Amino acid sequence: MNLITHSRRGDPLFSRGQKGGRPLKHKSSQFIFKYLEFGQIEVLTAAFMMRFCLQEMDASPCNFPVSHENPSVCLFVFVCVCVCVCVPRLYLRYNHWIPKVLLLFFIVVDLSLAIFEEPAVFLLPVACTMLVELLCLLVFALRLTHYAKVIPRDKFWKDPKNICIIVTLALTLVDMIVYGALDAAGCYAVRWSRVLRPLLLVNVTEGRQLRRAFRSIRNALPQIFYVFMLFMFSLLIFSLMALKLLGKRGLKTIDGAPYFTNYLEIVLDLYVLVTTANSPDVMMPAYNSSFVFAVFFILYILINTYIFMSVFLAVVYNNYKKYLKEEVRQLVRTKRHKMARAFAVLQEPKAAGGEPVVSQANWNQIVRLVQPGISNAHRELLWSVGDDDNQGCVGKLAFVQLADLLNIEVITLKSRPHPLQSAFPAFYLSAPSRLVCRLVQHRAFVVAYDLIILVNAVFIGLDEENPLIANSEWAFLALYLLEILLKLYVFEPRSFFSRHNFWNCYSSSKIISTRFDTIIVVSALIATIVNSALTSSGNYTSRQILDIVFILRVLRLIRVVDNIQRFRAIINTLIRIGPAILTFGQLIIVVYYIFAMVGMELFKGKVKFYEEDSSDPAKAYCGNELLRGTAFAQLNYCKNNFNNVVSSYILLVELTVVNQWHVLSSGFAAVTHASARLFFILFHIMVVIVIINIFVAFVLEAFFVEYSVDKSDLQTSLERKIEELQLAVEQEKLEDNLVNAMETADNEQGTGQSANKPPLMFKIASKRYRTVDALLQRMFEADLDPEDFAENDDGDDGGNFANPAFSSA
Amino acid sequence: MNLITHSRRGDPLFSRGQKGGRPLKHKSSQFIFKYLEFGQIEVLTAAFMMRFCLQEMDASPCNFPVSHENPSVCLFVFVCVCVCVCVPRLYLRYNHWIPKVLLLFFIVVDLSLAIFEEPAVFLLPVACTMLVELLCLLVFALRLTHYAKVIPRDKFWKDPKNICIIVTLALTLVDMIVYGALDAAGCYAVRWSRVLRPLLLVNVTEGRQLRRAFRSIRNALPQIFYVFMLFMFSLLIFSLMALKLLGKRGLKTIDGAPYFTNYLEIVLDLYVLVTTANSPDVMMPAYNSSFVFAVFFILYILINTYIFMSVFLAVVYNNYKKYLKEEVRQLVRTKRHKMARAFAVLQEPKAAGGEPVVSQANWNQIVRLVQPGISNAHRELLWSVGDDDNQGCVGKLAFVQLADLLNIEVITLKSRPHPLQSAFPAFYLSAPSRLVCRLVQHRAFVVAYDLIILVNAVFIGLDEENPLIANSEWAFLALYLLEILLKLYVFEPRSFFSRHNFWNCYSSSKIISTRFDTIIVVSALIATIVNSALTSSGNYTSRQILDIVFILRVLRLIRVVDNIQRFRAIINTLIRIGPAILTFGQLIIVVYYIFAMVGMELFKGKVKFYEEDSSDPAKAYCGNELLRGTAFAQLNYCKNNFNNVVSSYILLVELTVVNQWHVLSSGFAAVTHASARLFFILFHIMVVIVIINIFVAFVLEAFFVEYSVDKSDLQTSLERKIEELQLAVEQEKLEDNLVNAMETADNEQGTGQSANKPPLMFKIASKRYRTVDALLQRMFEADLDPEDFAENDDGDDGGNFANPAFSSA
């Protein structure tokens, strides 16, 4: 539900003067607009559907003009009206931000119960955690009931995610009762429903990106399965060959065990070899006996590691792209379909009996409704893009584009004079002050500070025990503060700190990341002062504060990268694909949670960790006799255990990184049973072969989109319009910095609103996307037909994109 | 130079009757055709250029009709004629297969000298290897001189590959003299020119694919460099943070050394962590102290291993695709341009004064010239594709397509009766014989043999000491032989063994891989018999023969995969991209060779390997005191050394696989100097980051092309024509097997040439490509404009695709 934009409470737009067009007369219309504010596109559709109902039919659903609309629209209107009448305030409440945040909060609480449950980081009594979980279940159940009341009954029961939540809740309840009973009776019981908890996160309405990721995986699974089967066949054949070739030669491994004599062990060893984790150790005994056997292993690695793993990536990538494309196509079709329906409601026949159009007044009203925060200038700009020929109305195609146009982030720059200039014009415009401004804007200023940063880096690297170096830190801090103050003096503070200046607004200007920089410098200053105060007050130095000081000092150095254009381009791309990577983060957390729960049940307490200074002899074998002499204990992996949820997560990360996973898995197999390895192999297949490949596929695809130079059609048409209207911020002007432009304006002694220097300037926020959906749409734009309106309600049958209500009525 | 197709010596086409059109009258024309046979397209162009010269101008290059051709064509013709006159037989000799094979042979000899040179696998005296190398140099020099005589002088000196060969030869000669002198004087000398040897392989005319791969790498390098710099910056920043956070805590590594106190060592450790080779060992001391530090390492791995490595892949992939596309575009443009020029020579004005065309007679003549082995039926099929409207002539577009049409492999199936049927019709068509045929063709036959194979697999897995199991091998061999004999009885032997039946001809038929299968079974039979003979003759069993027997037995099992359609599709794709993978194989061999030569100079003899049964105490530390107690010696990696070229190669493969490379590199650093690690890091950057990523990029791209269902336009037009002419082999017919079709024909009691069952049937060999170029063209076909003829000689200026002569005259 990334498209949701909340309008502020008490929308002032309805009270504002509405010039021209048919104003919204009915008092109830205001209520309905507010009631329906659940997403941009939905508002557009529903708003005009509603308006149509109210204006044309006086709220009686039976005498609407069937003649000039087709039956499906009538049906739609009918359902809308019914819903309006039946559930007046519930929907508003359902989409209010408070219940949403509360729901997410309770999901987080539910998931983090793992920290307090046996095996726990901080153990709480069972009764306590059970009570909290019960509370969570209650909240989820309430939320679901609320939802069920809001949307039509049949739609509710058709949606698999609701069923999934209900089943999860029921199973959890059953499990809690059974566990409580068994626990009370003193029997051994397993809280198996804990693995179901992440399903709640996946299935809430807000988890759309996560569900999409899961759907990609599910869709890719059959293809992956066939390749995996072939890979397994190859593995089994190679193992058979290895058994026949090497089993009878009486070779010994490095610890004297017979080498390659057991078929199952060979299969396992060769599976591990595919992940390269036991290379070259596994082949050393054979290689020591003859170099010909090395050829066997090299062939094996070539086929299974290089070729099969590339094929896995290719299959995952291909399927991922294919299904994502299909999903995005449906999403765009649905969106366009809805826009087309909204258009159908709003349309007025053109004078000359031509195509139907939407008047400017109506258009303005919608835009203000949909995006309440939009500036008048921005709105007028959008209108001039839609109404390219200045006809005072827009056609269907231009109207449908509106949703995409609103997704393009346009920065409105106001060339305001510096506040100091307004306050003390004589001083600020004096010769020394101007010289300072020129100096700060000069390239040498940037280079000088880059050099200071490099010197600082060397000083950080040196031993901070030396008092000279310890004190130099104050000098560097003073220099950084001076820089910020100078910049504040020279540049307009609001533009200096504005939201868009964070990292990547002006892709070629030098004033970027200033906010990030300022935060780091000020935090470092505070931390250093606190640290000094603590040190001087007593002899005590807080290790934590010192750590923070160190990290902040090092982070200051990052700024150097930012001054090199090539690097900035790469970093900007990485930052742009960041939100999408976060979706994968959620995915990983969900999958890890399931494996952590299972792992904790299987392996809790089997491996113990003793503190570094412990003198317990059991430390050498992690407190489990079975581990004596194993590689697991020798490598001191005792802390890699499933004894609580935090160490489980860290262990799972280590398993994802793959290296030494055979040591870890055989360690846990040693303390339980050989079949425990299955858990680790399953984890490897699920996470490394499937999820990591999907992650790589996504990064690849997103990078390719960023690399391809051609911009979206809409974006260029918007840019063209900006240029046409001479409102563009030119790149060179940005290079020279905004102040220069201001100075020119000042020199003309105008009011700052001279004819050829408009006070407002626009800039498209390079290639940043408001939402993940916009990025996805961009990724597959080339394959989408702009005329594809999905007039036949097919677009909605995609189902997965349907919003909770109305969308496919 | 994959496009080269050699015509047989003594081309019979010129003596054959040439019906219609203008026959080639001049005796000299035959000579010129032969003289120019150096590639399909070149033949087409040059043949007609020549013909034009000879027919229109009586070989006097000055009075050619300037009026009806533009000056550039005149120039071209002029150069051609000059070359014809000057170097009459040399070119023929240059492109003869014997010198080419000889050249490759000497390159292989030159490269494999490394086996016999110090440090050698089999040591030969220096004089001996030097003599052989001198011989090789002589051959290369001769070949180059030959080449220089064949092509125009200015072209020869402009071509960087010739310069490269000359420089290489000169440097090698200088090195040999210096080495010989120093060796004679008893001084220490290094044969440094050995690293130059692979350049010869790269720069010979035949190494085009290899040069292309190197060009892709070179082109991708700048982009990779920037990402690498950013990655290094991130590495250094993280290292600085690690030093500050962990250096002062007095932590100890597992062997008691101070942990993270030296900045350079931290950088190295974290670099190794990017390759995941020392995960999780490197973080265990910090993690044991507090789990917060694990978060630091996880963040590091996320950013540097997952994100940066994906970005490397993305950058490499993107650049690779971009430049390859550009190269292929130029290649296709050049090809089309040449075809258009050939058309310009051959064209005749159409009767009604329309577009110029080429008559069928001329067309036939070219096709037979260009592809002497083509069957008349196939040629007529191609003609009917070109001349779709049956006008007796083809236009320019259809003519230009010819080169691509000839690249589509069309299988001509002749429905011949079984030889036994011809010999003993009564017996072969009798009821029992027909029953056998039906049985063998039944699905159950395949399933039965699949079961036999599975049972065989179990028997192979069991202990072969058991006499029952040892004897069962004979039973299985008999069963497999029976299958082959039965199939031979049922199917026509020539189609059974035909070239196209190897693996992937009929993508959905069951009679595939029969040749592979037969070879394996017969070899297994022979090897088993030899083995039994040896065993029964003496008590001696040859281990090698037994190994071969085992491998052959296991290989027999592969056939099971082939019976499952899904698997076959994947395997076919893999086989199809095989030739391109071989190019990467060459690339790897070249890069390895250079690293092996350098490595052998740096590290030869530093690490010694002692046989398993040696009791030398030095065995524990690989014969080098410096290795005592290191992980290298403890893990028994003594055989991983640079003591000869074979073990160097195996070591380099291990380094490519990455795991434990830090142990190997620190081992070699211990026996020489810490800076030796640079060699290993350089290898990692070159091979793992660059080459392996390009390999993955290629596999991905090739797989996507194979996955995308749409066939090439030409291929479908050819298929449509085949269907139109009712000559298609229907899929169902193939499923029912060819014999059924034969039987039907027999039942009609015709001569086997009945009207509605044509004796010839065509099938396009699915998606197999004759050449790597054709695959590449297919990969980027969507972006090529079919009308793009590059009339302005720009296409040739691409340079890299230019053939040795004429092409860009």
Side-chain angles (χ1 to χ4, degrees), chain A residues 648-777:
Chain A
S648 301
Y649 262 74
I650 292 173
L651 177 54
L652 292 177
V653 172
E654 287 171 15
L655 290 174
T656 308
V657 175
V658 167
N659 199 54
Q660 299 287 40
W661 74 284
H662 59 301
V663 173
L664 294 166
S665 71
S666 58
F668 284 100
V671 295
T672 51
H673 184 259
S675 59
R677 286 167 192 264
L678 283 179
F679 173 83
F680 294 91
I681 291 173
L682 198 69
F683 180 82
H684 180 260
I685 294 168
M686 275 295 296
V687 175
V688 181
I689 293 184
V690 180
I691 294 179
I692 294 295
N693 273 335
I694 286 199
F695 174 79
V696 173
F698 184 85
V699 173
L700 285 182
E701 190 64 25
F703 243 78
F704 292 159
V705 173
E706 291 295 330
Y707 265 120
S708 61
V709 279
D710 52 336
K711 291 185 181 175
S712 137
D713 281 347
L714 280 166
Q715 204 155 326
T716 47
S717 74
L718 197 58
E719 277 178 336
R720 211 174 43 239
K721 185 52 79 176
I722 291 175
E723 262 164 46
E724 225 172 73
L725 299 175
Q726 295 186 309
L727 293 169
V729 179
E730 286 133 46
Q731 287 302 339
E732 307 87 62
K733 204 148 281 168
L734 280 171
E735 294 279 347
D736 295 348
N737 285 332
L738 287 175
V739 170
N740 279 11
M742 271 157 50
E743 277 189 65
T744 330
D746 294 334
N747 290 345
E748 288 170 24
Q749 299 295 334
T751 56
Q753 296 218 10
S754 61
N756 51 350
K757 278 287 161 199
L760 273 173
M761 295 202 277
F762 294 108
K763 178 145 182 29
I764 289 178
S766 67
K767 287 188 285 181
R768 182 111 67 86
Y769 302 102
R770 281 244 171 104
T771 62
V772 176
D773 285 333
L775 173 64
L776 290 175
Q777 187 180 341

Side-chain angles (χ1 to χ4, degrees), chain B residues 306-359:
Chain B
Y306 287 107
I307 296 184
F308 266 107
M309 290 299 131
S310 299
V311 172
F312 273 121
L313 180 58
V315 169
V316 168
Y317 189 6
N318 194 52
N319 274 277
Y320 171 76
K321 219 161 69 174
K322 197 170 82 190
Y323 287 101
L324 198 61
K325 198 154 135 184
E326 187 49 34
E327 294 212 350
V328 170
R329 205 184 61 85
Q330 286 194 8
L331 188 73
V332 172
R333 273 168 64 104
T334 312
K335 188 164 81 176
R336 285 191 183 145
H337 181 48
K338 284 176 180 169
M339 290 299 290
R341 286 206 289 202
F343 181 80
V345 175
L346 268 186
Q347 69 190 24
E348 300 161 15
K350 213 178 172 181
E355 300 260 297
V357 291
V358 166
S359 71

Side-chain angles (χ1 to χ4, degrees), chain A residues 221-445:
Chain A
L221 276 185
Q223 283 282 338
I224 294 174
F225 177 76
Y226 287 114
V227 180
F228 189 77
M229 281 296 107
L230 200 59
F231 159 71
M232 282 307 291
F233 181 79
S234 148
L235 175 63
L236 293 176
I237 288 282
F238 268 100
S239 303
L240 199 54
M241 250 189 249
L243 177 70
K244 288 285 131 183
L245 284 181
L246 298 165
K248 297 273 162 173
R249 283 172 200 259
L251 301 175
K252 296 266 175 257
T253 63
I254 193 162
D255 36 283
Y259 178 72
F260 271 23
T261 50
N262 179 314
Y263 186 65
L264 267 183
E265 274 172 23
I266 296 174
V267 172
L268 199 72
D269 276 343
L270 289 186
Y271 185 84
V272 174
L273 183 57
V274 169
T275 69
T276 77
N278 60 357
S279 154
D281 307 77
V282 74
M283 82 173 208
M284 285 319 288
Y287 179 36
N288 284 339
S289 128
S290 162
F291 80 90
V292 178
F293 295 122
V295 176
F296 171 82
F297 284 98
I298 289 170
L299 206 69
Y300 176 81
I301 287 175
L302 177 71
I303 292 176
N304 288 286
T305 304
Y306 288 107
I307 296 186
F308 266 107
M309 291 299 133
S310 299
V311 171
F312 273 121
L313 180 57
V315 168
V316 168
Y317 189 6
N318 194 53
N319 274 276
Y320 171 76
K321 218 160 71 173
K322 197 170 81 187
Y323 286 102
L324 198 61
K325 200 154 136 183
E326 187 49 34
E327 293 211 349
V328 171
R329 205 183 62 83
Q330 285 194 8
L331 188 73
V332 172
R333 274 167 64 105
T334 312
K335 188 164 81 177
R336 285 190 183 144
H337 182 48
K338 284 177 179 167
M339 290 300 291
R341 286 205 291 203
F343 181 81
V345 175
L346 269 185
Q347 70 189 25
E348 301 160 13
K350 211 179 174 182
E355 299 260 296
V357 290
V358 167
S359 71
Q360 186 170 7
N362 279 337
W363 192 92
N364 280 340
Q365 223 171 312
I366 318 161
V367 174
R368 277 188 298 217
L369 255 170
V370 170
Q371 213 156 59
I374 197 167
S375 71
N376 282 334
H378 185 183
R379 186 166 45 74
E380 274 158 30
L381 179 72
L382 292 184
W383 171 259
S384 62
V385 172
D387 178 27
D388 210 17
D389 313 329
N390 251 325
Q391 297 183 312
C393 53
V394 290
K396 189 171 178 181
L397 215 63
F399 185 82
V400 168
Q401 280 185 346
L402 180 61
D404 294 325
L405 276 176
L406 284 171
N407 265 334
I408 297 173
E409 203 166 358
V410 174
I411 299 166
T412 315
L413 295 174
K414 289 189 183 144
S415 58
R416 281 184 278 230
H418 198 282
L420 279 177
Q421 189 182 356
S422 320
F424 316 102
F427 165 73
Y428 194 75
L429 295 173
S430 68
S433 164
R434 284 195 169 226
L435 183 70
V436 169
C437 290
R438 290 216 179 275
L439 274 179
V440 172
Q441 288 165 56
H442 199 272
R443 250 201 87 73
F445 186 77

Side-chain angles (χ1 to χ4, degrees), chain A residues 233 244 248-249 254 276-277 279 281 283 287 306 460 463-464 547 561 634 637 639 654 656 659, chain B residues 233 244 248-249 254 276-277 279 281 283 287 306 460 463-464 547 561 634 637 639 654 656 659 704:
Chain A
F233 181 79
K244 288 285 131 183
K248 297 273 162 173
R249 283 172 200 259
I254 193 162
T276 77
S279 154
D281 307 77
M283 82 173 208
Y287 179 36
Y306 288 107
I460 292 172
D463 192 8
E464 78 268 10
D547 283 349
V561 177
Q634 275 164 13
Y637 284 173
K639 202 164 180 179
E654 287 171 15
T656 308
N659 199 54
Chain B
F233 181 80
K244 290 284 132 183
K248 298 271 162 177
R249 283 173 201 261
I254 193 162
T276 78
S279 156
D281 307 79
M283 82 172 207
Y287 180 35
Y306 287 107
I460 292 172
D463 193 7
E464 78 268 11
D547 283 348
V561 177
Q634 276 164 13
Y637 284 173
K639 203 166 181 178
E654 287 171 14
T656 308
N659 199 53
F704 292 159

